Structures are given as structure tokens and as C-alpha cells.
Amino acid sequence: MTNWREVDAIAKEWIKEAGERIKQSFSKELLIETKSNKNDLVTEIDKATEDFLIKNINQTFPNHRILGEEGLSEAVEDLKGVVWIIDPIDGTMNFVHMQRDFAISIGIYEDGVGKIGLIYDVVADELYHVIKGNGVYMNDIPLAPLKETSVEKGIIGLNSTWVTENKRIDPTILAPLARDARGTRSFGSACLELAYIASGRMDAYITLRLSPWDYAAGKIMIEELGGMVTSLRNEKLNMLTQNSFFASKPGLHQEILEKYLNNGKW
Ligand code: IPD
Ligand code: CA
Ligand code: CA
């Protein structure tokens, strides 16, 4: 049987050390490449961070498998056993342009069930972490269960991409939500936006395209605190493919689905 407290303790050490290494790179010139499109960036630091984590996991837990964004470990085609789902730098554009507002995200799943989530905001030195069933913490501060809220009082994480012409959704569907909400935000790091829902700084996060490594850790945190995480059609997420994505505090999830998303049948 897996000793999750032991896994958690060592994963915390690794994520902190990985963060230190990233900070040390700030003074160096970055090698920036593009991936799927001109705005999809990767640097040698993303790859070095994933490599650092993979080497440690392989050495300490040889039976565990790894699904990492940069694809430096063996391909993972199912979620049997223990799988670490890693985004070495979430918010690479922020990392490159601003040297802040990016994070390392690690979600650890057993047979598809989230057990441990870690999101480390390197520059703010804020480590969000959860062991399923044991609460969510920001550094050593326990986070409160999520309270119900409404669109009128809500701050919604929503990128302007989805309310202007785009390939995935008619912009007139989400524009009324942007209009009715108290405010919208876009921080450029999906995992941090999820950590912000967990810590109460934001109320929901909506996007049409997210990969498992972007949300693997945050999903465990939000669900642990009583929030909802589904696709934008209110379906369970597939942890092996890209999904549309909708995370929210209770109450608000239902309100947005009913009033703006035609109960998922948009
Ligand atoms: C991206 C960020 C961004 C989100 C994109 C992700 P990356 O991850 O989380 O906020 O809008 O969909 O791909 O490429 O910086 O790891
Ligand atoms: Ca990412
Ligand atoms: Ca990334």
C-alpha cells in the first residue's frame, strides 16, 4: 500500500528544490522555442524542471508512472496504478516575460483517483497542497471549505479569447457572463487560477482548452473543498486528453450552467 504522507513529504521537497533551480535561472538568457503555435512557448528551464522531477520519481518510486507536459518520460496511455501528472512550469509566457505568476503543478493519481496535489507559486513562495481527505493548505495555513456564491458577486477567471472570435465557442455564449459577473480575470497560469479558487481569491475558472497537467493538482484541491470541476458541458473530465474546463465554487457552478450554458447543451 502506498504511504501517501511519505510521498507528499518527498514531493514537497522536490517541488521546492525545483523552484529554487528555476529562480537561479532568472539571471541567465533563456532559450525560447515555440510548440503548437507561436504563443505556445517552452524554454530549456521547463524541460530541465520536468527532467529533474522525473529523475527523482524514477529513482525513489520505480513503479510509479509520469505524465508530463514536455513528454520526457515514457508515454502514459491509461491511469492504472500511481501516475504523477506534471506541468514543470505552468504559465511559461509569464515566466518568460514577467518572471512571476507561474507555478509548478504536480497531481498524483492512483487508478484515476486524485490523491495528492501540489501547486508551487515559485516567486510568491506559496505552496498549495492537498492530501485527499486531509484538507487543503497554503503553506501551513488550512484553507476553508468553499462557500456558495453567485455571478453577481463572483470573480470569474476567463480569457478574452473566449469572448472574441475563436475556433471553439460562439463568443456570444460567454460574453453575457463577462458582463454580469462582478469581475473577470486572466492570470496566464491555469493551475494558479485553480489555486486562487481554492484559497478564495477567485470564484470560478472557465476555458475551452486545458490539458491534464494544467489542472491535475488544482482539481483535487477544489473538490476537497466542496467545489465543482467539470467540462463546459458538465461532463466528467478525461484525464488523458484536452478538455473544455469549468471549475467553480458551489452554487455558482449551477447558476452559470443554467443561465449561460444551457445546462451544458450550448
Ligand atoms: C498554459 C497556461 C495558460 C492556459 C493555457 C495553458 P503553459 O500552460 O496555463 O494560462 O490558458 O491553456 O496551456 O503552456 O504555460 O504550461
Ligand atoms: Ca500548463
Ligand atoms: Ca507548461
Side-chain angles (χ1 to χ4, degrees):
M1 263 232 327
T2 312
N3 181 338
W4 293 112
R5 290 213 173 265
E6 200 184 315
V7 177
D8 177 62
I10 199 152
K12 271 186 198 143
E13 275 177 31
W14 293 339
I15 207 169
K16 287 263 183 161
E17 190 179 337
E20 264 318 303
R21 287 167 178 242
I22 292 174
K23 271 198 265 181
Q24 281 163 19
S25 77
F26 282 170
S27 54
K28 297 187 192 129
E29 199 176 326
L30 291 172
L31 181 68
I32 304 161
E33 293 169 84
T34 55
K35 296 195 284 184
S36 59
N37 62 61
K38 68 178 177 22
N39 301 325
D40 188 6
L41 308 180
V42 63
T43 72
E44 79 276 28
I45 309 300
D46 298 63
K47 293 179 191 166
T49 304
E50 184 162 311
D51 189 54
F52 166 80
L53 294 168
I54 289 173
K55 286 203 172 108
N56 279 301
I57 298 161
N58 282 340
Q59 207 172 21
T60 313
F61 303 110
N63 298 331
H64 294 186
R65 295 186 299 149
I66 303 155
L67 174 60
E69 173 170 19
E70 307 311 337
L72 304 182
S73 54
E74 270 176 45
V76 166
E77 272 150 23
D78 61 66
L79 291 178
K80 285 188 200 125
V82 178
V83 181
W84 295 55
I85 305 180
I86 297 177
D87 194 335
I89 298 184
D90 183 56
T92 298
M93 200 185 286
N94 289 351
F95 169 64
V96 168
H97 285 263
M98 299 159 54
Q99 297 194 335
R100 68 183 65 210
D101 295 332
F102 62 87
I104 306 169
S105 177
I106 302 177
I108 311 177
Y109 284 66
E110 185 182 45
D111 296 325
V113 178
K115 296 290 184 179
I116 290 175
L118 299 159
I119 296 173
Y120 185 38
D121 180 336
V122 172
V123 174
D125 193 23
E126 288 180 344
L127 176 62
Y128 298 83
H129 54 107
V130 57
I131 303 181
K132 189 181 166 67
N134 287 282
V136 187
Y137 293 79
M138 196 277 280
N139 292 336
D140 289 324
I141 305 164
L143 300 180
L146 300 179
K147 290 202 188 100
E148 293 211 359
T149 189
S150 60
V151 169
E152 200 189 357
K153 291 187 185 146
I155 299 205
I156 317 286
L158 180 66
N159 194 306
S160 54
T161 309
W162 312 123
V163 292
T164 50
E165 204 180 313
N166 71 85
K167 284 189 293 199
R168 294 172 194 257
I169 192 166
D170 176 345
T172 62
I173 294 176
L174 291 171
L177 174 62
R179 181 196 59 213
D180 296 348
R182 177 169 283 174
T184 55
R185 296 289 183 273
S186 179
F187 290 99
S189 163
C191 78
L192 275 183
E193 306 199 55
L194 301 184
Y196 291 168
I197 296 177
S199 55
R201 293 173 181 171
M202 239 166 62
D203 300 294
Y205 175 64
I206 288 177
T207 180
L208 271 290
R209 185 201 48 217
L210 220 55
S211 296
W213 39 81
D214 298 313
Y215 65 79
K219 178 175 187 289
I220 310 173
M221 294 178 192
I222 290 172
E223 289 178 343
E224 175 81 4
L225 294 171
M228 281 86 183
V229 181
T230 64
S231 77
L232 225 52
R233 295 192 189 277
N234 201 23
E235 303 144 325
K236 190 172 180 275
L237 298 175
N238 180 338
M239 300 292 304
L240 294 167
T241 60
Q242 279 200 340
N243 297 268
S244 68
F245 185 92
F246 177 23
S248 176
K249 288 185 176 170
L252 185 58
H253 195 267
Q254 211 176 339
E255 185 186 352
I256 292 175
L257 270 172
E258 279 171 16
K259 283 200 201 151
Y260 302 90
L261 295 171
N262 191 26
N263 286 314
K265 296 183 194 72
W266 46 275

